Coordinates of all heavy atoms in Angstrom, one line a residue:
L634 N -37.6 -1.9 61.9 CA -38.8 -1.0 61.7 C -40.0 -1.6 60.9 O -41.1 -1.4 61.2 CB -38.3 0.3 61.1 CG -37.4 1.2 61.9 CD1 -36.8 2.3 61.1 CD2 -38.3 1.9 63.0
L635 N -39.6 -2.3 59.8 CA -40.7 -2.8 58.8 C -41.3 -4.1 59.3 O -40.6 -5.1 59.7 CB -39.9 -3.1 57.6 CG -40.9 -3.3 56.3 CD1 -41.6 -2.0 56.0 CD2 -40.1 -3.7 55.2
P636 N -42.6 -4.0 59.5 CA -43.2 -5.1 60.1 C -43.2 -6.4 59.1 O -43.1 -6.1 58.0 CB -44.8 -4.7 60.3 CG -44.6 -3.1 60.4 CD -43.4 -2.7 59.6
A637 N -43.3 -7.5 59.6 CA -43.3 -8.7 58.7 C -44.3 -8.6 57.7 O -45.6 -8.3 58.1 CB -43.4 -10.0 59.6
G638 N -44.1 -8.8 56.5 CA -45.1 -8.9 55.4 C -45.5 -7.5 54.9 O -46.3 -7.4 53.9
A639 N -44.9 -6.4 55.5 CA -45.3 -5.1 55.1 C -44.7 -4.8 53.8 O -43.4 -5.2 53.6 CB -45.0 -4.1 56.1
A640 N -45.3 -4.0 52.9 CA -44.7 -3.7 51.6 C -44.3 -2.2 51.6 O -45.1 -1.5 52.3 CB -45.8 -4.0 50.6
L641 N -43.3 -1.8 50.8 CA -42.9 -0.5 50.6 C -43.3 0.0 49.2 O -43.3 -0.8 48.3 CB -41.5 -0.3 50.8 CG -41.0 -0.5 52.3 CD1 -39.4 -0.6 52.3 CD2 -41.5 0.5 53.2
E642 N -43.4 1.4 49.1 CA -43.5 1.8 47.7 C -42.2 1.5 46.9 O -41.2 1.2 47.4 CB -43.6 3.3 47.7 CG -45.0 3.8 48.5 CD -46.3 3.3 47.6 OE1 -46.1 3.2 46.3 OE2 -47.3 3.1 48.2
E643 N -42.3 1.6 45.6 CA -41.2 1.2 44.7 C -39.9 1.8 45.0 O -38.8 1.1 45.1 CB -41.6 1.4 43.2 CG -40.6 1.0 42.2 CD -41.0 1.3 40.7 OE1 -42.0 1.9 40.6 OE2 -40.1 0.9 39.8
E644 N -39.8 3.1 45.2 CA -38.5 3.7 45.4 C -37.8 3.1 46.7 O -36.7 2.8 46.7 CB -38.7 5.2 45.6 CG -37.3 6.0 45.9 CD -37.4 7.5 46.0 OE1 -38.1 7.8 47.0 OE2 -37.0 8.2 45.2
A645 N -38.6 3.1 47.8 CA -38.1 2.5 49.0 C -37.7 1.1 48.9 O -36.7 0.7 49.4 CB -39.0 2.8 50.2
A646 N -38.6 0.3 48.3 CA -38.3 -1.2 48.1 C -37.0 -1.4 47.4 O -36.2 -2.3 47.7 CB -39.5 -1.8 47.5
E647 N -36.7 -0.6 46.3 CA -35.7 -0.7 45.5 C -34.5 -0.4 46.3 O -33.5 -1.1 46.2 CB -35.8 0.2 44.3 CG -34.6 0.2 43.4 CD -33.9 -1.0 42.9 OE1 -34.6 -2.0 42.6 OE2 -32.7 -1.1 42.9
L648 N -34.5 0.6 47.1 CA -33.3 0.9 47.8 C -32.9 0.0 48.9 O -31.8 -0.4 49.1 CB -33.5 2.4 48.6 CG -32.4 3.0 49.4 CD1 -31.2 3.1 48.6 CD2 -32.8 4.1 50.1
M649 N -34.0 -0.5 49.6 CA -33.7 -1.6 50.6 C -33.2 -2.9 50.0 O -32.4 -3.6 50.5 CB -35.0 -1.9 51.4 CG -35.5 -0.8 52.1 SD -34.3 0.1 53.2 CE -33.8 -1.4 54.3
A650 N -33.7 -3.1 48.7 CA -33.2 -4.3 48.0 C -31.5 -4.1 47.7 O -30.8 -5.1 47.8 CB -33.8 -4.4 46.6
A651 N -31.1 -2.8 47.5 CA -29.7 -2.6 47.3 C -29.0 -2.9 48.5 O -27.9 -3.5 48.6 CB -29.5 -1.2 46.8
F652 N -29.4 -2.5 49.7 CA -28.8 -2.8 50.9 C -28.7 -4.3 51.2 O -27.7 -4.8 51.7 CB -29.6 -2.1 52.1 CG -29.2 -0.7 52.3 CD1 -29.9 0.3 51.9 CD2 -28.0 -0.5 53.0 CE1 -29.6 1.8 52.2 CE2 -27.5 0.8 53.3 CZ -28.3 2.0 52.8
H653 N -29.8 -5.1 50.8 CA -29.7 -6.5 51.0 C -28.6 -7.1 50.1 O -27.8 -8.0 50.4 CB -31.1 -7.1 50.6 CG -32.0 -7.0 51.7 ND1 -32.0 -7.9 52.8 CD2 -33.2 -6.3 51.8 CE1 -33.0 -7.6 53.6 NE2 -33.7 -6.6 53.0
V654 N -28.4 -6.5 48.9 CA -27.3 -7.0 48.0 C -25.9 -6.8 48.6 O -25.1 -7.6 48.5 CB -27.5 -6.3 46.6 CG1 -26.2 -6.5 45.7 CG2 -28.7 -6.7 45.8
V655 N -25.9 -5.6 49.1 CA -24.5 -5.3 49.9 C -24.3 -6.3 50.9 O -23.1 -6.7 51.2 CB -24.6 -3.9 50.5 CG1 -23.4 -3.6 51.4 CG2 -24.5 -2.8 49.2
R656 N -25.4 -6.6 51.7 CA -25.1 -7.5 52.8 C -24.6 -8.9 52.3 O -23.8 -9.5 53.0 CB -26.5 -7.7 53.6 CG -26.3 -8.7 54.9 CD -27.7 -8.9 55.4 NE -27.5 -9.8 56.5 CZ -28.6 -10.4 57.3 NH1 -29.7 -9.9 57.0 NH2 -28.4 -11.2 58.1
A657 N -25.3 -9.3 51.2 CA -25.0 -10.7 50.8 C -23.5 -10.7 50.3 O -22.7 -11.6 50.4 CB -25.9 -11.1 49.6
E658 N -23.1 -9.5 49.6 CA -21.7 -9.5 49.0 C -20.8 -9.4 50.1 O -19.6 -10.0 50.1 CB -21.6 -8.3 48.1 CG -20.3 -8.4 47.2 CD -20.1 -9.7 46.3 OE1 -21.3 -10.1 45.9 OE2 -19.1 -10.1 46.1
I659 N -21.0 -8.8 51.2 CA -20.0 -8.6 52.3 C -19.8 -10.0 53.0 O -18.7 -10.3 53.4 CB -20.5 -7.6 53.3 CG1 -20.3 -6.1 52.8 CG2 -19.7 -7.7 54.7 CD1 -20.8 -5.1 53.6
A660 N -20.9 -10.7 53.1 CA -20.8 -12.0 53.6 C -20.0 -13.0 52.8 O -19.2 -13.9 53.3 CB -22.1 -12.8 53.8
R661 N -19.9 -12.8 51.6 CA -19.1 -13.6 50.6 C -17.7 -13.0 50.4 O -16.8 -13.9 50.6 CB -19.8 -13.7 49.2 CG -19.0 -14.5 48.3 CD -19.8 -15.0 47.0 NE -19.9 -13.7 46.2 CZ -20.2 -14.0 44.8 NH1 -20.4 -15.1 44.3 NH2 -20.3 -12.9 44.1
E662 N -17.5 -11.8 50.2 CA -16.2 -11.3 50.0 C -16.3 -9.8 50.6 O -16.6 -8.8 49.9 CB -15.9 -11.2 48.5 CG -14.7 -10.8 48.1 CD -13.5 -11.9 48.3 OE1 -13.9 -13.1 48.1 OE2 -12.4 -11.6 48.6
P663 N -15.8 -9.6 51.9 CA -16.0 -8.3 52.5 C -15.3 -7.2 51.7 O -15.8 -6.0 51.6 CB -15.3 -8.6 53.8 CG -15.5 -10.0 54.2 CD -15.3 -10.6 52.8
E664 N -14.1 -7.4 51.1 CA -13.4 -6.5 50.4 C -14.0 -6.0 49.0 O -13.7 -5.0 48.4 CB -11.9 -6.8 50.2 CG -11.2 -6.9 51.5 CD -9.6 -7.1 51.2 OE1 -9.3 -7.3 50.1 OE2 -8.9 -6.9 52.1
A665 N -15.1 -6.7 48.6 CA -15.7 -6.3 47.3 C -16.6 -5.1 47.5 O -16.8 -4.5 46.4 CB -16.6 -7.5 46.9

Side-chain angles (χ1 to χ4, degrees):
L634 287 169
L635 192 65
L641 293 170
E642 295 293 332
E643 182 179 357
E644 180 184 66
E647 170 56 34
L648 180 59
M649 296 311 298
F652 273 102
H653 280 288
V654 168
V655 169
R656 179 186 176 185
E658 191 62 31
I659 287 175
R661 180 169 72 161
E662 188 76 35
E664 291 190 350

